[in-house]
Amino acid sequence: MFRHTPLRYIALALLAAGALFQAATAGYFGLEILIEILILAMLVLALDMVAGFGGMVSLCHGALMGVGAYAFATFGGILGLTPLVSLVGAIALTGATAWVIGAVCARSHGIYFIMATLAFGQMAYSYVFQTPFFGGDDGMGGIERLDLTALGIDLTDSRSFALFCLGVLGLVYLATVAVLRSGLGRSLTGVMHSEQRMRALGLTVWRVKADVFGLSGMIAGLAGALSAMHIMYISPGLLDWTVSGEALVVVILGGLGTLVGPMIGAVALVVLKHELSAITPYWHLVVGLLLIGVVMSRANGIFGWIEAQIGARLDKRLNDITRPQPTEEPRDA
Amino acid sequence: MLETRNLDKSFGAVHVTRDVSFRLEKGERRVILGPNGAGKTTLFNLLAGELIPDSGAIMLAGEDVTSLPVASRARRGLSRSYQKNTLFDGLSVEENLGLAASIHTGFGTRLWGDSLSRPEVREIVEDVAAQVNLQPYLHARVSEVSYGVRRQLEVGVALATRPRVLLMDEPTSGVGPEMAGAFHALLAGLPRDLTILIIEHDMDLAFEVADSITVLNYGEVVFDGAPETARGSDLLKEIYLGSWEHA
Ligand SMILES: Nc1ncnc2c1ncn2[C@@H]1O[C@H](COP(=O)(O)OP(=O)(O)OP(=O)(O)O)[C@@H](O)[C@H]1O
Ligand SMILES: [Mg+2]
């Protein structure tokens, strides 16, 4: 189950402050980067929820995000629904798709689970790619952003859109924590520890896995719809398995099962990508080396490493402060 | 309450369960004895549904559950503990009991609200903690408590689903004689209408708690009867002195 620690609160506050500062001060390019980070952060929260707390390492979350994006574009552009209805529809459809994938894959574990999810992702990719209805290789354009002018917010403005994405990410984070702390979330943790025992206690294990995978898919679908609104154009590349792979890299780089870590990982990856790709076309190499370093260090990602280094000390310090001091310090001679 | 009819199970060429039939009345406490490798744990796996018998039938409260999956049998009131601890190590003792209790009460699949703070769940956790002497350890993590306490928790988790039939696979294996004795004393405090099947290595302890005894040898029931009869049985002495490593 997920627990907040002082260090996690501090990290969250720093992330939020950094994002707000960037949203307030950055120019167009900086805002684009921020939005990219915020959407990736949503995707990796969804992935951490299943991989870090349920042991379901998914290689189809990129494709799920693509399903969300295509659903949003289709509902709006082809069926002519309003952006709000399209958004809700895209989230629901992606959630349902993910639920089915979760239910089918629930009995596989480890590498087989990864492969099964990859297969689903590839099926979605080739379906979209081959279907003229979805524009095939050309993708789909003319996607509208949500209309919040009634609230005095103009989302066609990059700064407003960045702030909007930040707000949505905050809600997604709270929802993820709520799910992980619910009865369902606790059972999921139990399932990750021992499926056999949970079954012997009367739990229908596949249902728990499918339900959480579905919820995770809803978040991925939301991230996809936001991504479609952001670029206002989508192509099958969104569903490519490398997107899923990159999300997994971010989760592991940041710290599996910590929620905060993957968001830090998202910042790290996007910033590295933009900074390094300006200098060298081999930026993937640097990310690869970083990932190898993190994995070899046997720490749980960047944030896991920080937690191991200072988290315990910080908790102790805070405990000492809040606990009444003994009046007389016992001393050895 | 629990009945098996001519159960048979083989692993390849190894015939591990041979024509096993017995019957437990409601509230009966039966001990299963037998040397290492006699097929005791395998019998539990068949009863709980973790293995499917090659032939034969299992009846739970008059219903044929032979082809039901593990979780369905558990929901019908069959609970088991394991010979090797199967606990949730990173969690506290309380959370371990709470997980089991929340599955039983249906809060384990709810999306809103923490299952462990539900009064129904709390009540079970406190009850079970009292039943198996876990109150002092509720807030300790499983990894922080002694092996003996973990063995108690192993049974506590099984009890927290409020079963009608409880299967315990060597609940005192690996703990010292005092703790084993204390554990058996604690069995006396369990509800009288709970039907219990215990695998036990120690004969003397077994005689203390059993209403009836089943002895397995090479997968076969070689004795079924009252503890007093078992005590005098030559056959049992032979198995006990012969192949029982424990002796
Ligand atoms: N899954 C399996 N596959 C193959 N053989 C198995 C399997 N499970 C058990 N066996 C074999 O079946 C026989 C009975 O095993 P079982 O674990 O039921 O014995 P037991 O009476 O519980 O012994 P112990 O007192 O050591 O716990 C053993 O010879 C064991 O090696
Ligand atoms: Mg055994």
Side-chain angles (χ1 to χ4, degrees):
Chain A
M1 204 204 58
F2 181 76
R3 286 187 180 86
H4 273 123
T5 59
L7 186 62
R8 288 180 182 184
Y9 279 125
I10 293 172
L12 283 171
L14 288 175
L15 281 172
L20 277 171
F21 179 78
Q22 181 78 359
T25 61
Y28 176 76
F29 192 62
L31 288 170
E32 290 299 299
I33 291 180
L34 176 62
I35 294 167
E36 195 181 333
I37 291 173
L38 294 171
I39 292 173
L40 180 61
M42 259 173 248
L43 180 65
V44 296
L45 278 181
L47 184 55
D48 198 22
M49 181 163 145
V50 292
F53 298 87
M56 295 183 276
V57 179
S58 155
L59 260 186
C60 69
H61 266 59
L64 287 171
M65 181 162 136
V67 168
Y70 267 90
F72 180 77
T74 307
F75 291 157
I78 296 174
L79 303 182
L81 302 173
T82 67
L84 184 63
V85 175
S86 306
L87 178 64
V88 173
I91 292 171
L93 184 76
T94 316
T97 309
W99 190 91
V100 171
I101 295 175
V104 173
C105 299
R107 285 188 198 285
S108 350
H109 299 93
I111 190 82
Y112 299 101
F113 185 90
I114 300 177
M115 287 302 122
T117 52
L118 176 64
F120 272 108
Q122 290 300 86
M123 277 160 59
Y125 172 75
S126 46
Y127 179 70
V128 167
F129 189 78
Q130 304 291 349
T131 309
F133 180 76
F134 295 118
D137 207 4
D138 295 334
M140 296 166 79
I143 299 165
E144 276 180 62
R145 289 186 183 174
L146 223 52
D147 183 7
L148 296 182
T149 43
L151 302 173
I153 302 168
D154 174 20
L155 286 187
T156 56
D157 169 53
S158 283
R159 201 172 308 281
S160 305
F161 191 68
L163 282 166
F164 173 71
C165 288
L166 180 60
V168 173
L169 176 63
L171 292 177
V172 164
Y173 179 82
L174 292 177
T176 306
V177 171
V179 167
L180 291 173
R181 287 189 170 167
S182 68
L184 185 71
R186 281 188 183 274
S187 293
L188 182 74
T189 309
V191 165
M192 183 161 79
H193 270 79
S194 171
E195 277 191 24
Q196 183 193 22
R197 185 79 198 229
M198 292 303 274
R199 238 176 238 128
L201 293 172
L203 187 77
T204 310
V205 167
W206 73 265
R207 263 304 293 275
V208 168
K209 287 182 156 185
D211 287 355
V212 178
F213 210 80
L215 290 165
S216 170
M218 288 169 75
I219 298 175
L222 171 62
L226 286 177
S227 163
M229 285 186 217
H230 176 212
I231 321 268
M232 296 162 147
Y233 160 80
I234 51 175
S235 69
L238 256 180
L239 288 89
D240 195 80
W241 75 273
T242 54
V243 179
S244 305
E246 199 169 84
L248 200 54
V249 165
V250 167
V251 169
I252 292 165
L253 200 63
L256 186 72
T258 63
L259 296 189
V260 182
M263 291 197 287
I264 294 175
V267 177
L269 185 92
V270 175
V271 170
L272 269 179
K273 177 155 83 178
H274 284 286
E275 294 299 314
L276 289 173
S277 60
I279 309 169
T280 161
Y282 295 112
W283 70 273
H284 271 116
L285 217 65
V286 180
V287 174
L289 285 173
L290 191 64
L291 185 67
I292 290 168
V294 164
V295 171
M296 298 289 283
S297 78
R298 313 185 82 201
N300 181 22
I302 299 169
F303 190 67
W305 184 79
I306 297 174
E307 284 196 320
Q309 297 301 311
I310 61 171
R313 252 180 290 166
L314 187 70
D315 285 353
K316 191 177 170 300
R317 176 96 36 102
L318 288 173
N319 261 330
D320 290 348
I321 293 170
T322 48
R323 196 174 292 158
Q325 296 290 318
T327 42
E328 237 174 76
E329 201 70 29
R331 247 168 229 275
D332 285 340
Chain B
M1 196 65 195
L2 181 66
E3 188 182 346
T4 70
R5 293 181 190 154
N6 314 100
L7 281 187
D8 254 79
K9 180 72 187 176
S10 299
F11 295 113
V14 198
H15 204 166
V16 193
T17 306
R18 297 167 193 255
D19 198 29
V20 171
S21 301
F22 61 80
R23 189 187 160 86
L24 268 89
E25 302 303 330
K26 185 171 181 185
E28 185 177 338
R29 296 173 177 199
R30 182 183 290 256
V31 170
I32 297 185
L33 288 166
N36 288 112
K40 306 181 295 292
T41 298
T42 303
L43 176 63
F44 267 27
N45 289 338
L46 291 168
L47 294 172
E50 289 177 28
L51 291 172
I52 299 299
D54 300 331
S55 63
I58 300 164
M59 314 290 290
L60 177 63
E63 185 192 1
D64 188 337
V65 297
T66 318
S67 54
L68 283 185
V70 177
S72 310
R73 295 186 202 195
R75 283 196 293 270
R76 282 169 173 73
L78 184 81
S79 191
R80 73 170 294 185
S81 73
Y82 291 85
Q83 185 171 359
K84 253 188 85 195
N85 285 342
T86 314
L87 300 168
F88 307 104
D89 284 337
L91 306 182
S92 69
V93 168
E94 186 180 32
E95 286 170 328
N96 268 265
L97 296 173
L99 259 183
S102 51
I103 294 171
H104 172 67
T105 51
F107 294 117
T109 48
R110 296 272 177 96
L111 190 49
W112 296 117
D114 185 356
S115 47
L116 261 59
S117 53
R118 301 274 178 173
E120 297 92 330
V121 173
R122 294 233 50 84
E123 192 193 319
I124 296 179
V125 168
E126 272 152 37
D127 266 16
V128 171
Q131 280 174 336
V132 290
N133 297 336
L134 285 171
Q135 289 123 322
Y137 312 103
L138 279 178
H139 299 292
R141 283 192 187 207
V142 170
S143 50
E144 292 163 358
V145 300
S146 71
Y147 177 77
V149 173
R150 281 185 230 176
R151 282 314 279 164
Q152 271 161 264
L153 179 58
E154 176 69 29
V155 172
V157 169
L159 270 173
T161 61
R162 291 266 153 101
R164 294 193 285 175
V165 178
L166 177 62
L167 314 178
M168 290 186 264
D169 195 347
E170 300 201 29
T172 59
S173 78
V175 307
E178 310 92 77
M179 255 199 121
F183 183 83
H184 283 252
L186 158 171
L187 286 180
L190 295 182
R192 249 342 292 196
D193 60 352
L194 177 63
T195 309
I196 301 179
L197 193 57
I198 313 178
I199 297 176
E200 179 56 76
H201 242 111
D202 190 315
M203 266 218 195
D204 295 325
L205 282 175
F207 290 139
E208 228 172 79
V209 297
D211 299 326
S212 56
I213 299 228
T214 296
V215 181
L216 281 183
N217 197 25
Y218 294 110
E220 221 171 350
V221 175
V222 293
F223 177 88
D224 184 333
E228 304 82 57
T229 334
R231 209 186 282 272
S233 149
D234 287 339
L235 175 71
L236 207 61
K237 272 184 199 138
E238 195 184 303
I239 294 169
Y240 187 86
L241 295 173
S243 54
W244 219 317
E245 290 176 358
H246 205 66

